[in-house]
């Protein structure tokens, strides 16, 4: 008769919860960065948006923190994931502005700015998947 294992077996993490964490973590991290290092985000605010860029940097940081926190909690995950998809759509003009502003920068900067544009689609679909699984 085999001896019982003394090691505790951990339950496998729920894949849906893992996907939610992969959405919430970066949102929370970026939200914090908007307050810790706001200057780079100020430069992404399109000039046609009224008001100071720093206001929009802080406002988007608050939005990312709120959405990330909502996604992290199972009771608010569906609403948070819906808001995340909307947030990713809302910041798209800033990504377009960045691509335009960096069009004459050295190629690594241009590549980073242009590479952000198609990345919005998988981020939005990921948020919608988390919403469907909530």
């Amino acid at each position: 008769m085999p001896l019982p294992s003394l090691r505790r077996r951990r339950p496998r993490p729920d894949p849906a919860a893992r996907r939610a964490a992969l959405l919430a973590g970066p949102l929370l991290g970026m939200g914090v960065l908007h307050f810790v290092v706001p200057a780079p985000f100020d430069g992404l605010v399109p000039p046609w948006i009224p008001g100071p860029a720093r206001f929009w940097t802080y406002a988007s940081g608050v939005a990312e923190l709120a959405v990330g926190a909502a996604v992290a909690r199972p009771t608010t995950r569906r609403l948070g994931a819906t808001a995340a998809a909307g947030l990713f759509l809302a910041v798209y003009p800033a990504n377009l502005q960045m691509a335009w502003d960096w069009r004459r920068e050295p190629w690594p900067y241009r590549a980073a700015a242009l590479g952000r544009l198609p990345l919005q689609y998988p981020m939005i679909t990921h948020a919608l998947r988390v919403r469907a699984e909530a």
Side-chain angles (χ1 to χ4, degrees):
M1 175 181 237
L3 294 174
S5 174
L6 297 178
R7 286 194 326 179
R8 276 181 108 177
R9 289 210 171 127
R10 292 185 202 174
R12 285 207 148 153
D14 174 26
R18 191 160 180 250
R19 278 188 284 279
L22 287 173
L23 178 61
L27 283 165
L28 292 168
M30 291 305 291
V32 168
L33 280 177
H34 277 71
F35 292 94
V36 175
V37 199
F41 298 100
D42 292 346
L44 300 178
V45 177
W48 49 266
I49 293 181
R54 183 62 51 94
F55 168 80
W56 294 108
T57 294
Y58 289 152
S60 61
V62 168
E64 288 184 344
L65 288 170
V67 169
V71 171
R73 288 185 48 105
T75 57
T76 56
R77 185 164 294 151
R78 183 174 176 80
L79 176 64
T82 304
L87 180 65
F88 296 147
L89 283 170
V91 299
Y92 199 70
N95 292 340
L96 288 170
Q97 185 68 47
M98 180 183 181
W100 177 256
D101 290 345
W102 290 13
R103 69 190 182 279
R104 292 188 182 96
E105 294 294 325
W107 76 264
Y109 293 98
R110 286 194 317 263
L114 290 172
R116 291 174 62 127
L117 299 177
L119 285 177
Q120 292 298 114
Y121 179 76
M123 290 167 56
I124 292 166
T125 57
H126 181 77
L128 293 175
R129 182 172 184 185
V130 169
R131 178 186 186 274
E133 294 174 340

